[in-house]
Amino acid sequence: MMARTENLRLAVAACVFASIAEPATAADSSRWDGDAKSAIRLIAGTVPAGAATVRAGIEIRLKPGWHTYWRYPGDAGIPPRFDFTGSQNMKSVEVRWPAPKRQPEGSIMTIGYDRDVILPLAIVPEDPAKPVTLRLKADYAICEKLCAPVEGQTELTIMPGASKLEPQLAAAEGRVPKRQALREGDGLVIRSAIRGDKPKPHVVVDVAAPPGTRADLFAEGPTPDWALPVPAPVDGAPDGLNRFTFDLDGGPPGTDYRASPLTLTAVAGRKAVEVTIRLD
C-alpha cells in the first residue's frame, strides 16, 4: 500500500512539473457568445515574437436573413460599440471596418453587413515581449423584420505564433478601405467632391470604378453625433463615372460645413477606398 501511495505521489508531482515546464500554446479564437441569431468571438492573427502591433479581429456570426450595422448606420440603426476595459498588456486598440453595403429597411436606407463579418483589430501592446489578453464587451444590434439589441462578452489571450485563422483575418483586412486623396486615376478612385448651394447646400461626388463594376458611396461627419444622409446615385456623370449627391444636413447645431472634415467611402466589388475632404 505504501509503495502504491508513493508511486501515486510521484505521478502527480510529475504531472504538475510537466504542466509548469510545458510552454503555453496560443489559441486561435475565443469562445462564441450569442445564440442562433447572432454570436460574437475574438480571433487571433499570426503574431511574430516581439511584434510592435498585434493583429486580431472581432468576428460577428449572423443567421441568414439578419444584418447588423457599420460604424455609421445610415438613416437609422445602432452602430456597434466595443469596450476593452480590463484587457491586459494593451496600450491601444484600433477597430478597422471592412467595406459595408446598403441595406434598405422599408422607406429608409441603412448601412452595414448582411452576412458574417470580421472587424480587424490593430493592437499596440504595452510590452511586446508579453502576451496580450483582450477582454471584450460588445453592444450591437441585429435586424430581420424586427431589430433587437445584443450584448456579448468574451476574451482571448494572444501569444506569438501562427494562427489557423490568419487567412480569414487577412481577407477581412483586405476589405478595409484604403486611404487616398481626391485624384484622377484608374481603378476605384474618388475623382471630385463639389459643393453646391441650390436648391439647398449639397455635395456632388464623382467616382471612377474598375471595368465591370459599379461604385457605391457613403458619407460621414467628423464625430458620431453627425447624421449625414446616405448619398443617392444620380444621372449626369461623365462617361465611365458614377455620380452621387447628398445634402449638407445632419451636423450638430451651429455646424460650419465648409470647415468640417467629411469622410467619403467608395466601394466597388471587393475594393474600397476612403477620402477625407473639406468643402472650403
Side-chain angles (χ1 to χ4, degrees):
M1 175 66 73
M2 291 181 61
R4 193 180 311 167
T5 302
E6 180 65 15
N7 289 340
L8 179 60
R9 184 185 68 80
L10 292 173
V12 171
C15 290
V16 171
F17 176 80
S19 65
I20 295 172
E22 182 180 356
T25 57
D28 294 337
S29 66
S30 70
R31 62 176 178 83
W32 287 103
D33 188 24
D35 57 23
K37 298 184 184 69
S38 74
I40 194 166
R41 70 173 179 173
L42 292 164
I43 68 170
T46 294
V47 180
T53 300
V54 173
R55 296 165 48 253
I58 301 169
E59 184 171 8
I60 301 176
R61 183 175 64 194
L62 297 168
K63 182 179 180 180
W66 291 75
H67 63 265
T68 191
Y69 296 103
W70 192 42
R71 65 190 180 204
Y72 174 54
D75 296 337
I78 302 172
R81 294 287 181 257
F82 304 116
D83 183 357
F84 294 95
T85 301
S87 296
Q88 295 179 348
N89 194 34
M90 186 191 76
K91 184 177 181 180
S92 66
V93 58
E94 177 191 1
V95 180
R96 307 180 69 200
W97 299 82
K101 63 183 295 186
R102 292 174 185 256
Q103 298 177 146
E105 294 183 14
S107 61
I108 62 175
M109 184 65 68
T110 65
I111 308 169
Y113 309 102
D114 62 359
R115 61 190 64 189
D116 299 355
V117 63
I118 294 173
L119 308 179
L121 301 174
I123 304 158
V124 177
E126 293 178 344
D127 184 349
K130 296 180 179 180
V132 172
T133 297
L134 288 182
R135 293 189 173 94
L136 169 66
K137 179 180 179 182
D139 294 282
Y140 61 107
I142 57 172
C143 293
E144 189 193 32
K145 295 179 181 178
L146 298 175
C147 296
V150 180
E151 292 184 355
Q153 295 188 56
T154 191
E155 69 175 72
L156 176 64
T157 296
I158 304 173
M159 302 178 65
S163 170
K164 294 179 181 178
L165 297 175
E166 171 65 23
Q168 292 92 316
L169 179 59
E173 290 171 335
R175 291 283 291 154
V176 174
K178 306 296 186 293
R179 294 180 182 176
Q180 64 173 218
L182 289 176
R183 62 182 178 85
E184 298 288 326
D186 298 325
L188 180 59
V189 178
I190 300 179
R191 293 277 185 89
S192 63
I194 300 173
R195 176 183 168 125
D197 290 314
K198 295 181 180 180
K200 55 184 178 180
H202 65 280
V203 181
V204 177
V205 182
D206 282 348
V207 181
T213 65
R214 184 170 181 82
D216 206 349
L217 185 75
F218 307 103
E220 301 170 85
T223 58
D225 54 349
W226 281 60
L228 290 172
V230 180
V234 293
D235 296 329
D239 289 344
L241 298 182
N242 301 266
R243 177 165 288 180
F244 301 85
T245 185
F246 60 95
D247 291 338
L248 285 174
D249 188 18
T255 292
D256 180 358
Y257 288 99
R258 290 188 182 274
S260 301
L262 306 182
T263 299
L264 305 177
T265 299
V267 182
R270 300 191 63 81
K271 297 183 179 296
V273 298
E274 180 180 285
V275 170
T276 298
I277 63 168
R278 290 182 182 272
L279 299 174
D280 55 2

